[in-house]
Structures are given as C-alpha cells and as structure tokens.
Amino acid sequence: MTLPGYDPADFPPFAVTVDLVVLTLRGGELHVLLVERGAEPWRGHWALPGGFVRPDEGLDAAAERELAEETGVHDVPGHLEQLASYGDPGRDPRMRVVSVAYLALAPDLPEPRAGTDAAQAAWVPVVRAQREALAFDHARILADGLERARAKLEYSSLATAFCGPEFTIGDLRHVYEAVWGATLDPRNFHRKLTGVPGLLVDTGRTRTEGRGRPATVYRRGDVTTLHPPLTRD
C-alpha cells in the first residue's frame, strides 16, 4: 500500500532489535545466558543474546528466533515477559536502534551452543557477568532484568518453578537466596512462606536435610500471588 505524500526516504534509518535476559539456577547459583560476539561492533565482548527484528515478524517471534539461532535454546519452559525498551540515540554505533528486552526465568535449561554471529554461548554466573564489560548497554539491561526477577519473587510464587514437584522450605529458601544474593533467616522465612494461604500443600511426608530435624515436604499450591508479599528486608 502506497500512502500519498509519504516517502520513507524522508526519514533517517531506524531499526528494532530484541535482547534477552535469560536466568536460571545452576549448582545453586544464579546464571545468565551470554554470547560472545563474533562480529563488529563489540567483537569479542560478551553480550545478551538478541538481534534485529525482521520486517515480517513480531517481537515475541523475533525473541524466540534469536534465542534459538544464537544459543540453541528453544522453547523456554518457564516465565517469559517483556522487560523494557531501550532507545538512547548512541546505544548502537551502526544506526539508530531501539531494543525491546525480554526477561526469561526457567529451571533446568540446557547447555547452549553458539550459532549465527555468536562465537560462543555460555551460562555465566551473574556475579561474574556484572563484572564484565558487556556490549552495547547490556549491563544496564541485565541490571534491570535482575531487579525485575528479584521483585517477582517478592509478590509471586515464581520461586516454586525452580524446585522439583516436591520440595522443602529449605529448597525454596535456597532459590530466594540465589536470586536475591542474600542470606535469609531460616525461621523468619519459614514463618512467612507457611503464612501464605494456598501457596504450599503439605504432602504429609518429611525429609532429613543435613544434621537438622526432618523437614516437611511440600508441593506447590494454586496461589500465584503472595499476600502479604515476601519483602527482602
């Protein structure tokens, strides 16, 4: 369709990209999925997986395609949502680029394999990733993604997705500690979690953890929103 009086050449070049903050727990530590850029700009630097949106695809489809092409990770089974948009004029030296960032949270994600223009792909501990000189403005996007993930654990039952079908309060506490990067008081945490109606279902079984007394085994209930929220203080 041609619009009278409209010429695309009258406007400067402009592109849209997608970037993904993909978080998972590995060995009890929070990891983020990064790729090493194999092309300029920022060749040789770690970056979040992502790339340009094609003219014939939507944002969600572009995010899924770029994740699969650059890392080999398909069909993230956990939580995926739009995080924010980033459009500072100088964020990409090639041209004016606006990026729509996504946040993905999932347990037990596979080992990545690099593809397209990525030299390598790897799960990197978040504490290490935050010390890296990430490409573009990806350090800011990662920081925003981490804060969104930490906030979600305050008011949602998302942490239970990182446990098996059955788990103890201790298992859940380890998830919170890994994502929040903080040590929590076991008794206070137990009181808060068991005080949320419908969040946990007692299986009637126990499990011995370390040298402590047997811990109650739970499965997740139907509640998805924590009320009151579980604050980090």
Side-chain angles (χ1 to χ4, degrees), residues 5-75:
Y6 173 74
D7 184 355
D10 292 337
F11 301 90
F14 197 99
V16 177
T17 60
V18 289
D19 291 302
L20 294 103
V21 180
V22 185
L23 301 173
T24 195
L25 291 179
R26 300 175 70 84
E29 187 176 5
L30 188 64
H31 284 62
V32 61
L33 185 57
L34 296 181
V35 297
E36 181 188 339
R37 289 186 57 79
E40 297 293 351
W42 295 90
R43 182 175 183 176
H45 284 72
W46 288 106
L48 299 171
F52 288 94
V53 179
R54 294 171 177 171
D56 61 346
E57 69 182 347
L59 295 173
D60 291 359
E64 293 175 359
R65 175 183 56 78
E66 284 291 342
L67 183 62
E69 289 180 354
E70 288 200 333
T71 72
V73 175
H74 297 263
D75 302 323

Side-chain angles (χ1 to χ4, degrees), residues 106-152:
D108 302 323
L109 289 175
E111 288 291 340
R113 53 175 177 77
T116 59
D117 59 353
Q120 63 174 313
W123 290 109
V124 178
V126 164
V127 293
R128 176 185 146 199
Q130 291 177 306
R131 295 195 297 264
E132 294 283 344
L134 300 183
F136 305 104
D137 53 357
H138 289 187
R140 176 189 172 191
I141 298 175
L142 173 58
D144 290 347
L146 287 170
E147 181 53 35
R148 175 73 66 83
R150 289 164 178 161
K152 278 196 166 292

